[in-house]
Amino acid sequence: MNIRLRPTMASDLDFVIAVEQDQSNLPFITPWERTQHEGAIRFPDFRHFIVERGADNERVGFVILQGCRNPHRSVELKRMVLLPEDQGLGLGRACVRLLARMAFRDLGAHRFWLDVKARNERAQALYRSEGFVEEGRLRESVRTDQGYDSLIVMSLLEPEHAALLREREQGAA
């Protein structure tokens, strides 16, 4: 999958907000205010990226990492949101793989973690298939238009990621 991550600029924020506010994405995320995105662009503990694909670098979504300066070497995948028409094409998997590599190789993480709404079964399946392990549930911790939803905390440790990379290399050989 030909994707790239580039740092989000202030001029991208209208796009970011539009992707986040899309009715197809809203059930699975808790949208941020514009000022929160502005802060994530500026503060060194965050990495805020636009996901681009293809030769023309078409914007298809955005991702946010948090904890990039965490002294415990625990980096969070805070948010990954793609345009609805670009979902189901392998872009999410490609993003997770790029972000895991970035977390472990570039940011020196020991632990790469996230939380995902219990209703977001598709995302959970993706994370599990990429080696993430469920650590626990925050029961009914998020209020939604449909009632309460739980958050599932999942993580991938550096030795687990290294083993996954070795398996993929051996499988490709």
Side-chain angles (χ1 to χ4, degrees):
M1 183 62 53
N2 184 18
I3 68 162
R4 76 179 194 121
L5 304 177
R6 70 156 170 85
T8 303
M9 299 180 295
S11 59
D12 292 310
L13 288 181
D14 287 340
F15 169 78
V16 167
I17 300 296
V19 174
E20 208 171 47
Q21 292 291 333
D22 188 283
Q23 292 302 309
S24 299
N25 289 329
L26 280 176
F28 305 113
I29 61 170
T30 303
W32 276 8
E33 307 250 341
R34 185 182 195 92
T35 55
Q36 290 174 286
H37 285 288
E38 290 169 346
I41 290 171
R42 284 194 313 267
F43 297 134
D45 192 51
F46 286 86
R47 298 290 186 278
H48 199 302
F49 295 103
I50 296 294
V51 180
E52 298 178 331
R53 79 161 176 183
D56 60 350
N57 294 321
E58 172 191 4
R59 296 183 300 187
V60 295
F62 72 96
V63 296
I64 304 171
L65 295 179
Q66 185 175 355
C68 298
R69 292 187 167 189
N70 184 302
H72 306 289
R73 298 176 47 209
S74 185
V75 175
E76 178 184 5
L77 173 50
K78 185 69 175 172
R79 176 124 337 143
M80 180 171 69
V81 187
L82 298 173
L83 289 166
E85 60 267 25
D86 291 301
Q87 295 173 11
L89 304 174
L91 297 171
R93 181 174 309 282
C95 284
V96 169
R97 288 182 178 183
L98 276 175
L99 293 166
R101 199 168 338 147
M102 181 184 297
F104 294 117
R105 184 189 63 200
D106 302 339
L107 299 172
H110 169 71
R111 179 174 177 266
F112 187 40
W113 72 281
L114 56 91
D115 61 49
V116 58
K117 287 185 177 179
R119 291 185 183 141
N120 197 347
E121 294 174 4
R122 187 173 173 180
Q124 291 172 53
L126 167 63
Y127 299 136
R128 267 192 229 85
S129 73
E130 289 299 316
F132 284 79
V133 175
E134 181 176 330
E135 294 183 337
R137 291 175 184 251
L138 304 172
R139 298 178 320 137
E140 296 188 5
S141 57
V142 179
R143 195 169 86 187
T144 70
D145 292 339
Q146 296 79 33
Y148 285 91
D149 199 358
S150 300
L151 289 176
I152 299 171
V153 178
M154 304 178 84
S155 72
L156 177 64
L157 301 178
E158 193 282 328
E160 296 165 341
H161 182 251
L164 277 172
L165 292 179
R166 283 192 300 277
E167 286 176 26
R168 286 182 194 143
E169 287 173 6
Q170 290 171 355

